Amino acid sequence: MPATAIHVGLMSGTSMDGIDAVAVTFAEEGVRLLRTHQHPWPSELRERLQLAASRHPLTAADLAELDSAAGEVLAEAALVVLDGLKGEVRAIGSHGQTLAHRPGGRPPSTLQIGNPAIIAERTGITTVADFRRRDLAAGGQGAPLVPAFHEALFRTTDRYRVVLNIGGIANITRLPNNPGEPVTGFDTGPGNCLMDAWIRQQTGQTMDENGRFAARGEIRPALLERLLADDYFRQPSPKSTGTDHFLLDWLNARLPAEPIAAADVQATLLELTARSIAAAIDHRTEQVLVCGGGVHNPLLMQRLDELLPCPVVSTAMAGLDPDWVEAAAFAWLARQTLAGQAGNLPAVTGATGPRILGAIYPA
Ligand SMILES: Nc1ncnc2c1ncn2[C@@H]1O[C@H](COP(=O)(O)OP(=O)(O)O)[C@@H](O)[C@H]1O
Ligand SMILES: [Mg+2]
């Protein structure tokens, strides 16, 4: 493969704030972002996807239709970044939209939709998708899958780094500076998902922009304690979770009978995210590199900085814009698959071994 081969990555996380699409090249010196684009979900489709992801019953026919509809929008997102690109585009890596993720279920299951056949057909480019299920079949959590990419990009022998991705769910990757130590990582719990769900219910806004609403409230210690008492935070890793666990219903079941000011709940949810992340970060850590939408919430970043003894900075400081790390990771995972290389890290997911991930839909 020529060093300049371009790969496209498509990612839509649990926040469903849009599809992140990138065209990138990988070289010794790092990832080059040639194109970036955030593609909106049509609002009606987004609502249907959100309903489907929140344990709402749906028929097989509904699911099949959602899969195709999502595939068309993912293909559109890919076409935007492909438009006018010069050079060979080797593959598209598409994460798909997660509708369910129950690695601890019997049997374990996870579902990402957005028909990859449609993406391959509309773009004429080999598409790799459905990355999580092979790891799950091998006894893993199927998540997080970004740590292998974080390792390739951000691991150094100079200092112990942790990469923190604050999407709907938050996940960390521990990158020991000692090359003999394995990379580990897991989902720490809610990232933005509960903060988004609460403000949406209270005010109709899709997010608490810059943490302004939370800043008007006060942290309620009793509520915070009840939220932190969830078993997930105590479970040993490997572990992964989803917005089908950390739902508004989960929060409602823990709110006290007497009413609390909405801003106080918002402040407490932000503190929950910060504390559950901080608790997962090893004391040996010398630098935390943050990516994902949460990096844009100054109040959340401030709380992390206060709770952690080491510097907390954006991945931009290490060469990659925090908004595009996840999409670039799926471009990289597609490249791994086509090269016959594993994409999972068994020490992270708990799979019985490294696996070549995904299914290939030829051009
Ligand atoms: N300026 C901001 N202030 C507060 N929160 C923000 C801001 N920008 C983005 N976010 C949060 O980031 C989320 C999107 O993060 P993202 O990494 O795209 O998540 P996902 O991977 O789940 O799609 C939004 O839903 C919002 O909660
Ligand atoms: Mg997103």
Side-chain angles (χ1 to χ4, degrees), residues 31-97:
V31 176
R32 235 181 101 209
L33 293 172
L34 305 178
R35 285 285 169 79
T36 61
H37 169 63
Q38 196 185 49
H39 200 75
W41 286 110
S43 55
E44 190 246 0
L45 177 58
R46 181 173 188 249
E47 272 164 39
R48 282 161 64 207
L49 291 169
Q50 271 168 341
L51 263 186
S54 59
R55 298 187 178 181
H56 194 78
L58 92 168
T59 65
D62 291 338
L63 180 59
E65 196 189 300
L66 271 182
D67 182 45
S68 289
E72 293 291 356
V73 182
L74 288 165
E76 279 170 20
L79 287 169
V80 174
V81 297
L82 290 167
D83 187 39
L85 257 191
K86 296 213 169 51
E88 184 213 349
V89 181
R90 181 78 182 81
I92 296 172
S94 176
H95 174 270
Q97 183 64 54

Side-chain angles (χ1 to χ4, degrees), residues 11-20 38 41 97 166-168 292-293 323 326:
M11 175 70 202
S12 175
T14 48
S15 302
M16 294 194 204
D17 57 323
I19 298 160
D20 301 334
Q38 196 185 49
W41 286 110
Q97 183 64 54
I166 315 175
D323 289 330
E326 284 244 302

Side-chain angles (χ1 to χ4, degrees), residues 103-347:
R106 277 166 210 224
S109 60
T110 189
L111 180 65
Q112 286 73 42
I113 67 159
N115 187 351
I118 293 176
I119 305 172
E121 185 64 30
R122 302 286 176 265
T123 61
I125 294 169
T126 297
T127 299
V128 187
D130 192 15
F131 291 92
R132 299 196 186 275
R133 290 198 298 171
R134 183 60 186 271
D135 183 82
L136 205 76
Q141 293 281 314
L145 295 181
V146 285
F149 175 66
H150 291 162
E151 177 179 24
L153 199 62
F154 297 124
R155 190 173 193 176
T156 81
T157 51
D158 314 342
R159 56 187 153 185
Y160 191 125
R161 279 175 161 169
V162 165
V163 183
L164 165 64
N165 173 38
I166 315 175
I169 296 295
N171 61 268
I172 60 161
T173 305
R174 293 175 176 148
L175 302 172
N177 49 332
N178 171 2
E181 257 186 81
V183 171
T184 56
F186 53 91
D187 287 347
T188 59
N192 300 295
C193 62
L194 293 169
M195 295 191 275
D196 284 357
W198 180 253
I199 197 159
R200 177 192 301 256
Q201 190 202 48
Q202 296 299 312
T203 73
Q205 290 160 272
T206 55
M207 69 167 90
D208 179 16
E209 208 176 334
N210 300 337
R212 264 187 242 118
F213 191 46
R216 278 171 32 202
E218 271 176 37
I219 297 164
R220 296 296 196 107
L223 175 60
L224 180 63
E225 211 171 296
R226 259 198 306 280
L227 301 177
L228 282 168
D230 187 273
D231 273 349
Y232 184 77
F233 300 119
R234 250 167 299 285
Q235 264 172 44
S237 57
K239 60 177 178 177
S240 64
T241 186
T243 46
D244 47 354
H245 178 68
F246 290 108
L247 281 168
L248 210 47
D249 287 351
W250 178 90
L251 171 63
N252 286 331
R254 286 158 181 81
L255 287 176
E258 70 277 10
I260 298 188
D264 289 1
V265 175
Q266 195 74 39
T268 307
L269 290 173
L270 185 143
E271 187 69 9
L272 170 71
T273 294
R275 293 261 179 148
S276 53
I277 289 170
I281 292 177
D282 191 320
H283 65 274
R284 292 179 301 162
T285 307
E286 291 167 284
Q287 185 183 45
V288 178
L289 296 174
V290 190
C291 59
V295 75
H296 300 298
N297 184 333
L299 190 57
L300 179 59
M301 292 298 284
Q302 184 196 321
R303 282 304 292 140
L304 285 169
D305 197 50
E306 286 163 359
L307 290 167
L308 292 166
C310 64
V312 179
V313 300
S314 157
T315 53
M317 300 287 286
L320 190 55
D321 184 320
D323 289 330
W324 308 107
V325 174
E326 284 244 302
F330 282 87
W332 185 86
L333 284 165
R335 176 173 172 259
Q336 288 292 101
T337 300
L338 293 179
Q341 303 282 329
N344 63 337
L345 294 178

